[in-house]
Amino acid sequence: MKTLSASATVTINAMAAKKKMNGERVYNFAAGDPVINNHHSIINRAVRQTEKKFFPYPPVEGIPELRSLVAEWVNITCLTQYAKENVLVTCGGKFALFAIVYALLQSNEEVLIPAPYWVSYPDIVKMAGGTPKVVPTYSENGWKITAQDLLQHINKSSKMLIFNNACNPTGVLYTKREISDILAIAKKFGLIVISDEVYSGLVYEEPGFISSGSFPEHRERILIVQSCSKNFGMTGWRVGFVLGPEDVIKRLAVLQSQSTTGVSVISQWGAVGALENAEEVNSYVKESMRKRKDLFVSSYHSLFPTPIEKIKSALYAFVPLSSMGVQNMTDSVAFSELLIASDNIALVPGTAFGVDGYVRFAFSEQEENIHQGLHVLKHAINRLVGETS
Ligand code: PLP
C-alpha cells in the first residue's frame, strides 16, 4: 500500500471541491463525470423498486434481470455472443478491473499497460502484487499500440494486457484489423486481455466502436470491462460489469462474495431501467456530450493558436502544453497545481496518465462552464507567459 498514490483525478477533484465549498467558482475540467440529469427510465425503475420496502442481499453475481439485459445490450451493440452466465455485476468498472487483476494475477507477474493509460491501472496492478509494464505510444502514431510494440515488451513474466478502447485520455479508437493483430499476439504469448470498453457508447466518429469481444476465436482470453457510468450517465450509481468465460465469472464472484458482496440492489434496478431503454438513454447522454465536445473544440480554437487533435470518443482532450503557448513549461503537475491554486481551473496533469508535457481536459461539465473556463484559462496563460518571458 505504501507505494500507492491516490488517484490523481480524485486529488485534483478534492482540491476543486474544497474551493467550491468555500463559495469560489471552479472550472472543473478534471472530472470525467457527465454532469447531466439521470434519464427518467433510470429513476422510475429504481423508485418503483423502493415500493417493495424489503431489500435482502442480492445475488453476488448481480440480479438475473440485469445480467440478461447486459448480455443482450453488449451482443447488440458490440456484436458479441454472451449469455447471462457470462456477466458479473460489479461496483463500477473500477471494481471490475480490480477484481479481474486481483483474482487472476500471481505476485510478480507483469501486466502490459499502453501509455497514456487510465490513471488507476498501474496502482490496481500493484495492489494485486503484480508489476505494471508500461508500453509507450506516441502522438505521431495516433497514440496507438501496435503488435510490434507489444512484442518488444513481452517477456516470460507477462500475464495480461489492459487494452483501453475507446481510450481515456486520448479518445483513440482501434480498427478491426488493429485489434485482430493485437489479439493474435496475445494468443501467441498466452496473455489474458482485459478490454476496457467503458466508453463504447460515447463514440463520435464513423466507422465507430469495435469490441474485442467480437472476435469469437479469442473469446476464452478476453474479459470485457463495461459500465453504466459514462454510457448511461450514471457515475454515482456505481454499476459496472465484467463479461467473459463462465468459469472466470464464477471465480470473480467468489472474490466479490468476500469483498463487496455485490452491488446495491437499488442501483442494479436503476441500471435495469437504463438497459431496458439502452439506445434512448445512451443517445440522450451521447448527444449531450457531443454538443459539449463541439463547444469545447470551437471555444478552444477561437482562443488558442494550435488546433487540437480530433476527439473521436470518450469525454476528453489530451493537449500538449506547448500548443497552448506555454513554451517554457513542460512539468504538467506544476502547471496543473498553479492553475487550480491561482485561477480555479482544474485539469489533470499528463503524468497521471504516464506522459508528461500534456494535460487532460474533460468536457463533461455544463456548457457555460466549458466556455467561461476556457476564457479564464486563456487569461491565466497570458499572465503566465508574461511572467516567464
Ligand atoms: N475505465 C476507464 C478508462 C475510465 O475512464 C473509468 C472512469 O473514469 C473507469 C474504467 C471506471 O469507471 P466506473 O468505475 O465509474 O465504472
Side-chain angles (χ1 to χ4, degrees):
M1 284 303 290
K2 284 192 185 133
T3 64
L4 297 183
S5 45
S7 152
T9 38
V10 172
T11 310
I12 301 256
N13 269 325
M15 286 171 76
K18 199 167 164 199
K19 282 185 170 260
K20 251 185 172 165
M21 261 179 44
N22 291 341
E24 296 178 46
R25 176 150 191 197
V26 172
Y27 303 97
N28 193 348
F29 291 107
D33 195 348
V35 180
I36 183 169
N37 284 347
N38 282 141
H39 191 276
H40 57 81
S41 310
I42 301 165
I43 304 290
N44 291 349
R45 202 67 169 92
V47 168
R48 203 174 349 139
Q49 204 57 27
T50 61
E51 285 160 14
K52 289 212 156 142
K53 297 191 171 36
F54 171 61
F55 303 101
Y57 287 118
V60 168
E61 302 82 0
I63 56 174
E65 293 85 346
L66 180 55
R67 294 174 80 199
S68 296
L69 281 165
V70 171
E72 198 181 305
W73 168 61
V74 176
N75 290 346
I76 291 170
T77 53
C78 296
L79 306 179
T80 57
Q81 290 175 335
Y82 291 112
K84 179 181 99 206
E85 291 70 26
N86 300 114
V87 178
L88 178 76
V89 182
T90 57
C91 293
K94 196 180 245 180
F95 193 78
L97 283 155
F98 177 80
I100 297 168
V101 175
Y102 198 84
L104 304 185
L105 197 69
Q106 308 282 330
S107 61
N108 297 324
E109 286 179 331
E110 290 187 358
V111 179
L112 297 153
I113 303 178
Y117 46 71
W118 181 48
V119 293
S120 294
Y121 294 153
D123 282 334
I124 287 176
V125 170
K126 285 188 213 161
M127 277 191 274
T131 307
K133 178 97 174 189
V134 174
V135 183
T137 66
Y138 302 95
S139 99
E140 306 83 83
N141 303 333
W143 296 117
K144 284 187 179 183
I145 184 130
T146 61
Q148 204 52 40
D149 297 327
L150 283 178
L151 279 175
Q152 279 171 11
H153 289 82
I154 289 175
N155 62 43
K156 59 181 183 344
S157 303
S158 309
K159 174 75 182 271
M160 289 180 186
L161 163 69
I162 304 185
F163 178 56
N164 182 204
N165 176 39
C167 181
N168 172 6
T170 58
V172 159
L173 287 173
Y174 284 80
T175 65
K176 194 166 182 174
R177 182 62 207 263
E178 288 162 347
I179 301 173
S180 167
D181 289 350
I182 288 167
L183 295 183
I185 295 292
K187 181 173 182 193
K188 187 168 172 195
F189 292 92
L191 301 180
I192 296 167
V193 179
I194 303 177
S195 192
D196 183 342
E197 306 187 354
V198 303
Y199 295 97
S200 64
L202 298 180
V203 168
Y204 313 109
E205 292 283 312
E206 290 306 326
F209 178 76
I210 312 274
S211 169
S212 305
S214 64
F215 296 80
E217 66 277 27
H218 295 293
R219 206 180 139 86
E220 290 310 305
R221 68 183 60 262
I222 288 169
L223 294 162
I224 294 182
V225 170
Q226 261 296 354
S227 175
C228 289
S229 287
K230 321 287 174 159
N231 290 324
F232 303 120
M234 294 177 66
T235 48
W237 295 74
R238 308 309 302 133
V239 184
F241 314 104
V242 181
L243 292 102
E246 199 179 331
D247 59 323
V248 180
I249 296 298
K250 282 191 175 141
R251 280 177 70 182
L252 301 184
V254 171
L255 186 138
Q256 188 146 279
S257 76
Q258 299 291 15
S259 51
T260 62
T261 312
V263 177
S264 148
V265 78
I266 298 297
S267 288
Q268 293 197 58
W269 280 104
V272 166
L275 282 151
E276 280 172 343
N277 294 295
E279 203 180 328
E280 188 183 326
V281 180
N282 172 243
S283 295
Y284 160 73
V285 178
K286 175 169 138 179
E287 290 319 313
S288 173
M289 295 305 130
R290 186 199 298 278
K291 270 173 84 179
R292 293 179 195 188
K293 168 183 75 71
D294 292 344
L295 174 76
F296 175 85
V297 172
S298 61
S299 304
Y300 186 95
H301 286 165
S302 72
L303 293 165
F304 296 97
T306 315
I308 45 179
E309 285 172 29
K310 197 161 198 166
I311 300 165
K312 295 186 175 151
S313 71
L315 298 170
Y316 316 101
F318 197 53
V319 178
L321 295 182
S322 58
S323 84
M324 287 185 272
V326 192
Q327 299 301 348
N328 34 16
M329 198 169 188
T330 49
D331 182 340
S332 60
V333 174
F335 180 72
S336 307
E337 284 179 359
L338 205 72
L339 284 180
I340 185 71
S342 59
D343 297 276
N344 292 6
I345 298 168
L347 298 165
V348 185
T351 47
F353 309 95
V355 181
D356 207 358
Y358 282 74
V359 283
R360 190 197 73 175
F361 290 81
F363 50 79
S364 45
E365 274 266 344
Q366 277 144 335
E367 291 172 30
E368 63 185 77
N369 290 341
I370 295 174
H371 187 70
Q372 283 205 18
L374 285 176
H375 277 83
V376 174
L377 175 70
K378 176 69 180 170
H379 281 271
I381 288 179
N382 284 348
R383 196 190 64 239
L384 275 177
V385 171
E387 279 168 9
T388 52
S389 60

